[in-house]
Amino acid sequence: MNRIKQYFKAKRAKIYEKDYQFLLGFLNEKELEYFNKLPVYEKRHSLDVCYYLINKYGIEDQDLLKAALFHDIGKIKAKITPERKAMAVILKKIPFLAKFLEKHIYFFKVYYNHAEYGAEICKEIGLNERIVGIVRHHHDKNLMDEDVIKLQEADEKN
């Protein structure tokens, strides 16, 4: 049910003036340039993840908040529409089919490996190793890192 809500939220996504002001005050020019490569629905999602961390936990840690904004940046390597994302999520439930599609269809490869691609893009941007690590591990299981656990919670809720 949560995935259905996420789909319709993505279809209606907007970025507001207060969001732009937040980004302008938080990101440097290069970071903003890369953030703006995300489609509107991914920007909205990333902002909502960041705001969730601020509002629920009172997070002020710039590294964790930047990781929230860039956690899905790896998806810029392919056109991943909300419809394609829905397909990828559903097909991930059938591991042998997901593996086959990942090898033969580029957007599946990017979607299933966006955390690794995102970490590489974060290095390109010049973000520090802590941010790179949080982005790289934001879909890992059995974590010990509290920051990544909080990011996963925020990602799941948004």
Side-chain angles (χ1 to χ4, degrees):
M1 189 57 138
N2 191 36
R3 289 294 188 177
I4 294 169
K5 285 185 210 173
Q6 285 178 337
Y7 172 80
F8 286 107
K9 188 176 178 184
K11 295 298 282 182
R12 296 186 317 268
K14 290 184 168 86
I15 305 299
Y16 300 99
E17 184 59 33
K18 70 177 184 116
D19 299 316
Y20 286 116
Q21 293 307 314
F22 173 76
L23 292 167
L24 286 171
F26 191 63
L27 300 178
N28 68 36
E29 192 175 319
K30 188 171 188 178
E31 293 165 350
L32 191 56
E33 176 190 331
Y34 273 83
F35 185 81
N36 281 326
K37 291 180 182 186
L38 288 165
V40 171
Y41 60 90
E42 290 291 359
K43 289 180 194 175
R44 174 80 270 144
H45 167 68
S46 295
L47 281 160
D48 290 344
V49 169
C50 186
Y51 294 154
Y52 181 93
L53 292 170
I54 292 167
N55 295 329
K56 177 162 186 191
Y57 293 108
I59 301 287
E60 294 178 5
D61 177 351
Q62 298 236 338
D63 288 348
L64 181 53
L65 296 177
K66 280 191 181 184
L69 290 174
F70 288 103
H71 76 281
D72 282 341
I73 196 70
K75 293 178 185 177
I76 67 172
K77 294 185 86 48
K79 185 168 176 56
I80 301 175
T81 63
E83 293 78 15
R84 285 180 165 188
K85 178 180 178 179
M87 273 194 306
V89 168
I90 290 165
L91 293 170
K92 185 84 171 171
K93 306 284 184 201
I94 310 167
F96 75 91
L97 185 54
K99 283 286 181 203
F100 175 81
L101 292 170
E102 180 181 347
K103 287 180 183 167
H104 294 41
I105 301 174
Y106 187 66
F107 87 84
F108 281 107
K109 180 180 180 178
V110 171
Y111 182 80
Y112 295 142
N113 297 286
H114 74 272
E116 188 60 39
Y117 289 130
E120 294 307 313
I121 291 168
C122 286
K123 282 184 187 177
E124 231 175 81
I125 297 170
L127 297 172
N128 68 43
E129 282 302 314
R130 181 158 176 255
I131 297 169
V132 169
I134 293 169
V135 169
R136 176 173 281 122
H137 298 291
H138 83 271
H139 281 298
D140 289 3
K141 305 286 184 235
N142 305 317
L143 292 164
M144 303 283 280
D145 186 319
E146 280 297 315
D147 288 338
V148 180
I149 291 167
K150 287 176 184 168
L151 178 61
Q152 283 182 344
E153 176 189 331
D155 192 18
E156 181 63 31
K157 299 278 187 189
N158 292 285

mmCIF file of all heavy atoms in Angstrom, residues 23-37 66 70 125 127:
data_model
loop_
_atom_site.group_PDB
_atom_site.id
_atom_site.type_symbol
_atom_site.label_atom_id
_atom_site.label_comp_id
_atom_site.label_asym_id
_atom_site.label_seq_id
_atom_site.Cartn_x
_atom_site.Cartn_y
_atom_site.Cartn_z
ATOM 1 N N LEU A 23 17.443 24.744 -0.492
ATOM 2 C CA LEU A 23 18.553 24.208 -1.280
ATOM 3 C C LEU A 23 19.628 25.254 -1.527
ATOM 4 O O LEU A 23 20.822 24.957 -1.418
ATOM 5 C CB LEU A 23 18.034 23.652 -2.611
ATOM 6 C CG LEU A 23 17.159 22.406 -2.499
ATOM 7 C CD1 LEU A 23 16.451 22.137 -3.818
ATOM 8 C CD2 LEU A 23 17.965 21.199 -2.048
ATOM 9 N N LEU A 24 19.218 26.478 -1.859
ATOM 10 C CA LEU A 24 20.180 27.554 -2.112
ATOM 11 C C LEU A 24 21.021 27.864 -0.881
ATOM 12 O O LEU A 24 22.202 28.193 -0.996
ATOM 13 C CB LEU A 24 19.465 28.821 -2.579
ATOM 14 C CG LEU A 24 18.940 28.793 -4.010
ATOM 15 C CD1 LEU A 24 18.061 30.013 -4.280
ATOM 16 C CD2 LEU A 24 20.085 28.728 -5.012
ATOM 17 N N GLY A 25 20.419 27.731 0.298
ATOM 18 C CA GLY A 25 21.141 27.997 1.534
ATOM 19 C C GLY A 25 21.972 26.823 2.026
ATOM 20 O O GLY A 25 22.779 26.970 2.943
ATOM 21 N N PHE A 26 21.784 25.661 1.416
ATOM 22 C CA PHE A 26 22.398 24.444 1.933
ATOM 23 C C PHE A 26 23.439 23.839 0.987
ATOM 24 O O PHE A 26 24.430 23.264 1.425
ATOM 25 C CB PHE A 26 21.299 23.428 2.235
ATOM 26 C CG PHE A 26 21.753 22.235 2.995
ATOM 27 C CD1 PHE A 26 22.262 22.364 4.284
ATOM 28 C CD2 PHE A 26 21.699 20.971 2.440
ATOM 29 C CE1 PHE A 26 22.694 21.246 4.998
ATOM 30 C CE2 PHE A 26 22.125 19.859 3.137
ATOM 31 C CZ PHE A 26 22.621 20.003 4.416
ATOM 32 N N LEU A 27 23.210 23.933 -0.313
ATOM 33 C CA LEU A 27 24.088 23.304 -1.295
ATOM 34 C C LEU A 27 24.950 24.344 -1.999
ATOM 35 O O LEU A 27 24.495 25.463 -2.243
ATOM 36 C CB LEU A 27 23.258 22.559 -2.356
ATOM 37 C CG LEU A 27 22.345 21.445 -1.856
ATOM 38 C CD1 LEU A 27 21.568 20.836 -3.025
ATOM 39 C CD2 LEU A 27 23.108 20.371 -1.098
ATOM 40 N N ASN A 28 26.157 23.943 -2.349
ATOM 41 C CA ASN A 28 26.988 24.836 -3.164
ATOM 42 C C ASN A 28 26.554 24.716 -4.627
ATOM 43 O O ASN A 28 25.691 23.903 -4.974
ATOM 44 C CB ASN A 28 28.486 24.578 -2.951
ATOM 45 C CG ASN A 28 28.948 23.229 -3.487
ATOM 46 O OD1 ASN A 28 28.484 22.729 -4.524
ATOM 47 N ND2 ASN A 28 29.899 22.626 -2.779
ATOM 48 N N GLU A 29 27.181 25.504 -5.481
ATOM 49 C CA GLU A 29 26.760 25.570 -6.884
ATOM 50 C C GLU A 29 26.842 24.212 -7.596
ATOM 51 O O GLU A 29 25.924 23.813 -8.308
ATOM 52 C CB GLU A 29 27.635 26.602 -7.612
ATOM 53 C CG GLU A 29 27.133 26.978 -8.980
ATOM 54 C CD GLU A 29 27.959 28.098 -9.605
ATOM 55 O OE1 GLU A 29 28.331 29.055 -8.891
ATOM 56 O OE2 GLU A 29 28.238 27.994 -10.812
ATOM 57 N N LYS A 30 27.933 23.498 -7.384
ATOM 58 C CA LYS A 30 28.101 22.189 -8.043
ATOM 59 C C LYS A 30 27.097 21.168 -7.504
ATOM 60 O O LYS A 30 26.517 20.389 -8.271
ATOM 61 C CB LYS A 30 29.532 21.682 -7.855
ATOM 62 C CG LYS A 30 29.841 20.446 -8.666
ATOM 63 C CD LYS A 30 31.311 20.107 -8.619
ATOM 64 C CE LYS A 30 31.619 18.992 -9.593
ATOM 65 N NZ LYS A 30 33.047 18.671 -9.603
ATOM 66 N N GLU A 31 26.894 21.164 -6.197
ATOM 67 C CA GLU A 31 25.923 20.245 -5.596
ATOM 68 C C GLU A 31 24.524 20.530 -6.132
ATOM 69 O O GLU A 31 23.776 19.607 -6.476
ATOM 70 C CB GLU A 31 25.955 20.381 -4.070
ATOM 71 C CG GLU A 31 27.246 19.899 -3.447
ATOM 72 C CD GLU A 31 27.451 20.352 -2.009
ATOM 73 O OE1 GLU A 31 26.681 21.208 -1.516
ATOM 74 O OE2 GLU A 31 28.402 19.857 -1.380
ATOM 75 N N LEU A 32 24.179 21.803 -6.221
ATOM 76 C CA LEU A 32 22.861 22.194 -6.728
ATOM 77 C C LEU A 32 22.707 21.785 -8.193
ATOM 78 O O LEU A 32 21.642 21.305 -8.602
ATOM 79 C CB LEU A 32 22.664 23.701 -6.558
ATOM 80 C CG LEU A 32 21.263 24.234 -6.789
ATOM 81 C CD1 LEU A 32 20.237 23.547 -5.898
ATOM 82 C CD2 LEU A 32 21.239 25.739 -6.543
ATOM 83 N N GLU A 33 23.766 21.943 -8.959
ATOM 84 C CA GLU A 33 23.735 21.530 -10.371
ATOM 85 C C GLU A 33 23.403 20.040 -10.485
ATOM 86 O O GLU A 33 22.558 19.637 -11.289
ATOM 87 C CB GLU A 33 25.094 21.823 -11.008
ATOM 88 C CG GLU A 33 25.230 21.357 -12.440
ATOM 89 C CD GLU A 33 26.669 21.460 -12.952
ATOM 90 O OE1 GLU A 33 27.423 22.336 -12.480
ATOM 91 O OE2 GLU A 33 27.031 20.637 -13.816
ATOM 92 N N TYR A 34 24.040 19.218 -9.687
ATOM 93 C CA TYR A 34 23.766 17.777 -9.721
ATOM 94 C C TYR A 34 22.381 17.454 -9.173
ATOM 95 O O TYR A 34 21.671 16.626 -9.749
ATOM 96 C CB TYR A 34 24.842 16.998 -8.955
ATOM 97 C CG TYR A 34 26.027 16.646 -9.810
ATOM 98 C CD1 TYR A 34 27.052 17.563 -10.025
ATOM 99 C CD2 TYR A 34 26.128 15.402 -10.414
ATOM 100 C CE1 TYR A 34 28.144 17.246 -10.819
ATOM 101 C CE2 TYR A 34 27.212 15.069 -11.208
ATOM 102 C CZ TYR A 34 28.214 16.008 -11.408
ATOM 103 O OH TYR A 34 29.286 15.678 -12.195
ATOM 104 N N PHE A 35 21.995 18.091 -8.090
ATOM 105 C CA PHE A 35 20.660 17.850 -7.529
ATOM 106 C C PHE A 35 19.591 18.148 -8.581
ATOM 107 O O PHE A 35 18.608 17.415 -8.703
ATOM 108 C CB PHE A 35 20.436 18.700 -6.274
ATOM 109 C CG PHE A 35 19.132 18.414 -5.589
ATOM 110 C CD1 PHE A 35 18.995 17.323 -4.744
ATOM 111 C CD2 PHE A 35 18.030 19.232 -5.799
ATOM 112 C CE1 PHE A 35 17.783 17.046 -4.124
ATOM 113 C CE2 PHE A 35 16.818 18.969 -5.180
ATOM 114 C CZ PHE A 35 16.697 17.862 -4.340
ATOM 115 N N ASN A 36 19.800 19.193 -9.356
ATOM 116 C CA ASN A 36 18.825 19.590 -10.374
ATOM 117 C C ASN A 36 18.765 18.640 -11.561
ATOM 118 O O ASN A 36 17.867 18.758 -12.398
ATOM 119 C CB ASN A 36 19.067 21.027 -10.827
ATOM 120 C CG ASN A 36 18.521 22.015 -9.828
ATOM 121 O OD1 ASN A 36 17.497 21.776 -9.189
ATOM 122 N ND2 ASN A 36 19.205 23.131 -9.662
ATOM 123 N N LYS A 37 19.663 17.681 -11.637
ATOM 124 C CA LYS A 37 19.599 16.657 -12.682
ATOM 125 C C LYS A 37 18.529 15.607 -12.361
ATOM 126 O O LYS A 37 18.119 14.864 -13.246
ATOM 127 C CB LYS A 37 20.959 15.972 -12.851
ATOM 128 C CG LYS A 37 22.007 16.892 -13.456
ATOM 129 C CD LYS A 37 23.339 16.183 -13.617
ATOM 130 C CE LYS A 37 24.376 17.149 -14.184
ATOM 131 N NZ LYS A 37 25.643 16.468 -14.502
ATOM 132 N N LYS A 66 22.920 16.080 3.668
ATOM 133 C CA LYS A 66 23.334 16.029 2.252
ATOM 134 C C LYS A 66 23.190 14.606 1.711
ATOM 135 O O LYS A 66 22.777 14.413 0.563
ATOM 136 C CB LYS A 66 24.766 16.535 2.072
ATOM 137 C CG LYS A 66 24.832 18.041 2.071
ATOM 138 C CD LYS A 66 26.171 18.571 1.649
ATOM 139 C CE LYS A 66 26.130 20.089 1.720
ATOM 140 N NZ LYS A 66 27.346 20.712 1.239
ATOM 141 N N PHE A 70 21.060 13.432 -1.564
ATOM 142 C CA PHE A 70 21.728 12.763 -2.686
ATOM 143 C C PHE A 70 21.598 11.240 -2.673
ATOM 144 O O PHE A 70 22.206 10.571 -3.504
ATOM 145 C CB PHE A 70 23.209 13.170 -2.720
ATOM 146 C CG PHE A 70 23.412 14.581 -3.182
ATOM 147 C CD1 PHE A 70 23.687 15.585 -2.266
ATOM 148 C CD2 PHE A 70 23.298 14.921 -4.511
ATOM 149 C CE1 PHE A 70 23.853 16.901 -2.675
ATOM 150 C CE2 PHE A 70 23.458 16.222 -4.944
ATOM 151 C CZ PHE A 70 23.738 17.221 -4.024
ATOM 152 N N ILE A 125 31.059 14.835 -7.395
ATOM 153 C CA ILE A 125 30.615 16.152 -6.923
ATOM 154 C C ILE A 125 31.635 16.746 -5.956
ATOM 155 O O ILE A 125 31.754 17.959 -5.835
ATOM 156 C CB ILE A 125 29.231 16.048 -6.234
ATOM 157 C CG1 ILE A 125 28.160 15.594 -7.213
ATOM 158 C CG2 ILE A 125 28.826 17.370 -5.591
ATOM 159 C CD1 ILE A 125 26.827 15.229 -6.563
ATOM 160 N N LEU A 127 31.755 15.443 -2.658
ATOM 161 C CA LEU A 127 31.236 15.236 -1.305
ATOM 162 C C LEU A 127 32.193 14.341 -0.523
ATOM 163 O O LEU A 127 32.910 13.525 -1.107
ATOM 164 C CB LEU A 127 29.833 14.627 -1.367
ATOM 165 C CG LEU A 127 28.779 15.511 -2.048
ATOM 166 C CD1 LEU A 127 27.479 14.767 -2.244
ATOM 167 C CD2 LEU A 127 28.551 16.789 -1.254
#
